[in-house]
Amino acid sequence: MTQLDRRPSDDRQAPALPADLDARSLARWTWRQLTSMRTALVLLLLLALAAIPGSVIPQEDIDSLAVAQWRDNHPRLAPIWDRLDLFAVYGSVWFSAIYILLMVSLVGCIVPRLFVYARAIGARPPRAPRHLSRLPDSTSYTTDEAPDVVLARAEKVVRRRHFRVERAEGADAVAAERGYLREAGNLVFHFAVIVVLVGVATGSLFGYKGGVILLNGDDYGFSNNLTQYDDFAPGSLFDPAVMEPFTFTITDFDVEWMTEGRRAGQARKFVAHLDYKTDKDAPTQQYDLKVNHPLSIGDTDIFLIGHGYAPVITIRDGEGNVTKSGPAVFLPTNGQTFESFGVIKAPFAEPTQIGLEGTFYPTFQLGRDADGNLSMPSSAFGNAIDPLVSLQVWTGDIGVDDGSASSVYVLDKARATRLTKADGQPFRMDLRPGETVTLPDDLGSVTFEGLERWNKIQISRTPGKLVALGGMVVALLGLLGSLFVRPRRLWVRARRQDDGTTLVEVARLDRSSGSDPESGRAELAGIVAGLQINQQRSKEEDRS
């Protein structure tokens, strides 16, 4: 084991755990186990496994609506998931515990190694072995020159090849070594890992992430304060005072639809045109917000992550009064055809509350099965070519009078009654823009006025992202150095023989595994050739 591969505690075996181990020895034993590379690798694997539920199960801080829908669809599993914090994986106690243990393990494991690496970088090349001919790459030749002359020339030849050279006073050999950047690469990589973890932790503690669904048009806008967000996930040490006071509106929205191929009907390119101000007294500016092209204001990034339709519905109650009118956000259930689900509530309708629930079809179609019979309705295309909204009606208590919080995307039907036709079938309205349906029992009417668009905007502030990014770049550079730099040692020995000639031995040792033998022999031959060429030049100069 070389000095580079050892850590200070490698000289001492970690003691076993006897029953009579005192508290100090137990703490030392526990620390050594925690700061071993084996433990760090296990914790890194556990962290990767712990992140899987956050990718599979919807998260509260990313899409609270998806969480609400998941709860409705899995009423038995939801309480168990809540106890395990699976709807907020990255903020859970068990995920934080793994993260903190990994951080401690890496620091305790890497910091001692940093000093070992630093000492190895400053170390001088080792002296020549006694028998150079036993090394895998070695050669020799004889010359009439004095050993000191050969060794002086060897120093120059080897230095030109960027070797670090060492020749002790009175020694009969020159020692050289290169490839120290491999150790420096290891040093940089291990340190950069800690920097990345610190950057990620800083963003999680001091940053925030929020989302809002914003209707398009000058009548709708967003101000960056807590009351404007649909969902908001702050860090543990988040301070609202750091939020930039910007405002923006979506003035227009353009989308390009695919018309051919298997993905026909899917949105290929979309852009939201923003008017924004960095503060209330700043001039209005424009920005075209696209996917993966966020708008940055200060340390805050604004992302476009989705879009959809908002049918404009007007509900008149039994007394003829308009009790609800405006666009209602319908959420896509099919990302290709934009078939969407939505809820509309009219809690102040008379003589009873009215709740509408149904599906919006941008391009309505009735397909046919293999027998030619009409099948379930669907949307043939994501673009609104033949829009239709299909709604069922619920009356009575729709869950808005008890004062508890309720989602605008969920209709509480526990105490409500579904409206039915005379034959007992559910009463359903199929409306195209401009159409009106009168509700039975003098409950009023519903009108599909038109169609508007909405965009899902994500707003995040991650103060440690540049630190994490810089750490990743540095780690990559260090990793490249440790992978592609080949550390190797070289010795040139010159000794006078009994016959008056000088025996010159040249040997090379590649310290990296998987090295190319051909390149090693070529380098050795080049050094020998350099020595002999310089010897020939020296003779020619002496003759002249």
Side-chain angles (χ1 to χ4, degrees), residues 89-100:
V89 168
Y90 306 112
S92 63
V93 174
W94 51 271
F95 189 88
S96 300
I98 296 174
Y99 192 93
I100 293 173

Side-chain angles (χ1 to χ4, degrees), residues 132-403:
L132 290 180
S133 59
R134 295 180 180 179
L135 294 178
D137 297 326
S138 63
T139 187
S140 63
Y141 68 95
T142 57
T143 180
D144 296 332
E145 293 184 304
D148 288 343
V149 175
V150 174
L151 294 179
R153 183 183 302 120
E155 286 190 57
K156 296 179 181 179
V157 171
V158 175
R159 285 186 191 277
R160 282 199 296 266
R161 290 178 171 265
H162 307 291
F163 278 82
R164 182 184 297 178
V165 180
E166 176 77 7
R167 183 187 177 191
E169 184 177 354
D172 63 351
V174 171
E177 187 172 11
R178 67 174 297 181
Y180 283 86
L181 285 180
R182 183 184 182 92
E183 284 78 13
N186 284 327
L187 177 71
V188 168
F189 174 77
H190 287 84
F191 180 75
V193 170
I194 299 178
V195 173
V196 171
L197 290 177
V198 171
V200 173
T202 301
S204 300
L205 291 174
F206 296 95
Y208 69 89
K209 181 186 294 183
V212 60
I213 292 180
L214 189 63
L215 291 163
N216 300 350
D218 295 332
D219 295 335
Y220 311 99
F222 175 84
S223 298
N224 191 33
N225 60 70
L226 297 178
T227 61
Q228 296 282 295
Y229 285 88
D230 294 334
D231 50 77
F232 189 82
S236 303
L237 302 179
F238 166 72
D239 182 5
V242 303
M243 299 177 70
E244 282 84 2
F246 60 82
T247 61
F248 66 85
T249 58
I250 302 177
T251 58
D252 199 6
F253 179 73
D254 296 327
V255 58
E256 182 178 327
W257 302 94
M258 300 180 66
T259 58
E260 299 178 351
R262 291 183 299 177
R263 300 175 64 186
Q266 189 170 350
R268 176 171 57 187
K269 178 182 178 182
F270 47 95
V271 53
H273 304 283
L274 301 187
D275 281 355
Y276 71 96
K277 292 184 177 181
T278 54
D279 60 64
K280 64 178 181 179
D281 298 324
T284 301
Q285 304 179 62
Q286 286 77 38
Y287 187 81
D288 292 339
L289 190 63
K290 305 175 184 177
V291 176
N292 297 326
H293 291 79
L295 169 62
S296 297
I297 301 177
D299 294 328
T300 304
D301 294 322
I302 303 171
F303 297 87
L304 174 63
I305 62 174
H307 61 101
Y309 293 99
V312 180
I313 302 296
T314 298
I315 300 177
R316 290 178 173 81
D317 62 14
E319 299 179 358
N321 300 317
V322 175
T323 186
K324 181 72 174 181
S325 183
V329 173
F330 275 55
L331 301 175
T333 57
N334 186 311
Q336 181 170 343
T337 65
F338 277 80
E339 186 175 315
S340 307
F341 174 83
V343 168
I344 306 161
K345 302 176 184 179
F348 303 109
E350 295 292 345
T352 182
Q353 297 178 0
I354 297 175
L356 306 179
E357 180 184 75
T359 304
F360 172 73
Y361 305 95
T363 303
F364 179 75
Q365 71 171 1
L366 279 175
R368 295 184 179 273
D369 57 23
D371 298 329
N373 300 318
L374 291 176
S375 60
M376 295 294 292
S378 62
S379 180
F381 200 67
N383 196 7
I385 297 176
D386 183 20
L388 180 142
V389 61
S390 181
L391 301 170
Q392 292 188 10
V393 183
W394 297 76
T395 60
D397 186 356
I398 57 175
V400 295
D401 293 335
D402 56 4

